[in-house]
Amino acid sequence: MAYIDQLFQALIQEGGSDLHLGEGQPAKIRRHGEIVPIGEEPLTREHMSYMLSEICSPARWEKFNETGDLDFAYEMDTQNRFRCNYLKQTSGYGAVFRIIPTKIKTLEELGVPSVIKSFGEMRGGIVLVTGPTGSGKSTTLAALMDYINVNFSRHIVTIEEPIEFVHNNKKSIITQREVPEHSISFPAGLKAALREDADIVLVGEMRDLETISLALTAAETGLLVFGTLHTNNSRKTVDRMIDVFPSDQQSQVRTMLAASLRGVVAQLLLKRADVPGRIAVNEILVTNNAVSAIIREGATQKLQDVIVAGKGEGMQFMDDAIWEHLVSGATSPHEAYMKAIDKQRFRPFLPAEEAELGNSAGLVDDGAPRQDKAKKVGALRH
């Protein structure tokens, strides 16, 4: 057993999601969104060097010391895997480890909207799963890949950095490639997938122009491409896909995206108010003729109206999804307010002192009477 495994076991026992190690400070974990210490003794250079070098290969350790960054996955035992990120910082070595569940949850177990299944049933185009770091994008995508794997005979190629969820072949063939171990970069892996008789390609992160351009081209050639972006909603996602290109190419890119985009699943995690933990909340855009026309015109400010009107097609606006969790009591007024796009809609449900802080930050009062927070949310439920 590696020395660092003791810290991983403490992370699991405490119900945490991430372990944070930094030279000169105690070990800390993230639990239900909050960072808390799990020891008192600051970690020394000797501690850090021993723990970090013990669980990665000599070649990787050498690479980390040369570059100051390293990403890989570590399997402690058959039940526990971790995504590892090593870094150099002002006080010395640092590292962050995230638990990767070895059992892939189903889409039903995650509680995400059932329309997400329809994206896995498509034969071509591009589907974007978006959200900030730590919002559960990888978990949702793994569940969707597993749904395809169980129900359809496809060849799925994943390009990840590092490989997180490990899939076993069921009805489909799944080829998992890690950057830079198996392919030198995301663009290189995408180009290769075009020659690998793939039906579906999952791109772990679409972070640059070349990757986004190749993903759009692959979607146009008939592959079903799944990609992730660090955007919070559908409008920002479409804007980001286009804005990454030089201005003289954007008109052509809008046409390509209008033709190939099949949908956007934006995801946030809300802190629960009813039980400890967090709950996923989603905005869903399903591309139809109106969405395609909006993308071609570059009028993405109109997307919100289409999403709100498209409920019958499975669409869902982020603020409406947050509102439902507030009404049910699953999340608090403060959490709903902090994660919402339209703050004004949620501000009347904040305690008076928090609402006043919002005013002092430059928000305009909407004239809502100040009532007790519990009464307001209680009234919503009836």
Side-chain angles (χ1 to χ4, degrees):
M1 184 170 101
Y3 182 76
I4 199 172
D5 287 354
Q6 297 168 67
L7 291 175
F8 289 145
Q9 286 169 345
L11 172 70
I12 294 160
Q13 285 162 8
E14 291 289 331
S17 60
D18 300 79
L19 171 67
H20 289 252
L21 303 181
E23 202 172 312
Q25 55 186 301
K28 299 180 178 74
I29 65 168
R30 184 180 292 277
R31 186 176 58 205
H32 308 322
E34 303 291 333
I35 302 277
V36 293
I38 55 167
E40 295 179 2
E41 287 295 312
L43 297 165
T44 63
R45 167 59 69 106
E46 189 179 11
H47 273 131
M48 291 291 290
S49 184
Y50 181 76
M51 287 192 293
L52 301 189
S53 63
E54 190 181 18
I55 61 167
C56 76
S57 66
R60 278 180 167 154
W61 183 245
E62 188 179 333
K63 180 193 168 193
F64 165 61
N65 278 302
E66 282 174 15
T67 64
D69 288 291
L70 182 66
D71 288 291
F72 67 100
Y74 167 65
E75 192 167 293
M76 181 172 79
D77 51 43
T78 55
Q79 302 300 312
N80 298 287
R81 276 170 59 83
F82 299 87
R83 187 179 76 196
C84 313
N85 173 257
Y86 290 4
L87 60 134
K88 288 182 181 175
Q89 47 154 334
T90 50
S91 57
Y93 289 153
V96 181
F97 305 88
R98 170 159 298 169
I99 291 178
I100 306 168
T102 47
K103 182 186 180 299
I104 298 169
K105 287 189 175 181
T106 64
L107 291 167
E108 288 83 2
E109 286 170 335
L110 292 178
V112 296
S114 57
V115 68
I116 290 175
K117 284 183 180 177
S118 68
F119 295 131
E121 294 162 6
M122 293 173 175
R123 279 297 199 169
I126 187 164
V127 177
L128 301 167
V129 178
T130 74
T133 302
S135 60
K137 296 185 297 294
S138 298
T139 305
T140 298
L141 267 173
L144 184 53
M145 292 305 107
D146 191 58
Y147 170 74
I148 298 167
N149 193 10
V150 167
N151 292 284
F152 303 99
S153 300
R154 306 271 194 270
H155 181 206
I156 303 167
V157 176
T158 77
I159 308 157
E160 304 169 74
E161 185 189 15
I163 291 169
E164 295 188 33
F165 294 88
V166 176
H167 295 267
N168 298 315
N169 292 342
K170 294 173 185 174
K171 224 176 176 183
S172 291
I173 301 168
I174 301 193
T175 302
Q176 295 188 260
R177 308 192 69 204
E178 186 167 305
V179 175
E181 294 293 305
H182 308 133
S183 184
I184 57 167
S185 67
F186 284 108
L190 250 172
K191 282 178 189 170
L194 297 171
R195 301 187 295 272
E196 290 162 1
D197 189 32
D199 300 294
I200 295 169
V201 181
L202 186 154
V203 186
E205 198 169 326
M206 304 212 309
R207 61 171 75 128
D208 56 51
L209 188 153
E210 189 181 6
T211 306
I212 291 171
S213 177
L214 282 166
L216 285 171
T217 302
E220 277 198 323
T221 63
L223 286 176
L224 179 56
V225 179
F226 291 92
T228 68
L229 289 170
H230 291 111
T231 45
N232 289 357
N233 57 54
S234 302
R235 178 183 175 179
K236 286 181 181 174
T237 301
V238 172
D239 287 342
R240 173 73 205 283
M241 289 288 286
I242 293 159
D243 290 346
V244 75
F245 289 88
S247 54
D248 62 333
Q249 295 177 29
Q250 289 182 5
S251 176
Q252 181 191 350
V253 171
R254 276 196 291 270
T255 303
M256 286 176 72
L257 188 61
S260 59
L261 184 67
R262 295 293 174 264
V264 177
V265 178
Q267 184 161 305
L268 300 172
L269 290 181
L270 298 177
K271 271 189 229 168
R272 297 194 71 127
D274 49 356
V275 293
R278 293 186 288 175
I279 188 169
V281 61
N282 298 95
E283 176 168 296
I284 309 286
L285 172 72
V286 180
T287 304
N288 56 21
N289 291 338
V291 171
S292 296
I294 284 168
I295 294 171
R296 273 194 303 273
E297 292 164 13
T300 53
Q301 71 278 5
K302 296 179 184 175
L303 281 176
Q304 178 178 329
D305 292 337
V306 174
I307 294 168
V308 171
K311 211 168 182 180
E313 297 174 59
M315 296 201 224
Q316 181 170 273
F317 182 51
M318 183 64 82
D319 281 4
D320 290 342
I322 293 171
W323 180 266
E324 286 178 16
H325 288 304
L326 174 63
V327 171
S328 70
T331 197
S332 69
H334 173 79
E335 183 72 357
Y337 173 83
M338 293 303 292
K339 296 290 171 69
I341 298 163
D342 178 8
K343 306 288 187 196
Q344 296 289 5
R345 178 177 176 183
F346 293 87
R347 198 158 56 84
F349 302 96
L350 291 173
E353 60 272 19
E354 283 193 54
E356 289 308 320
L357 278 174
N359 283 342
S360 65
L363 292 172
V364 180
D365 198 325
D366 56 9
R370 297 289 171 222
Q371 298 170 28
D372 178 74
K373 172 180 68 172
K375 284 182 187 171
K376 289 180 184 177
V377 179
L380 273 176
R381 294 179 204 167
H382 298 293

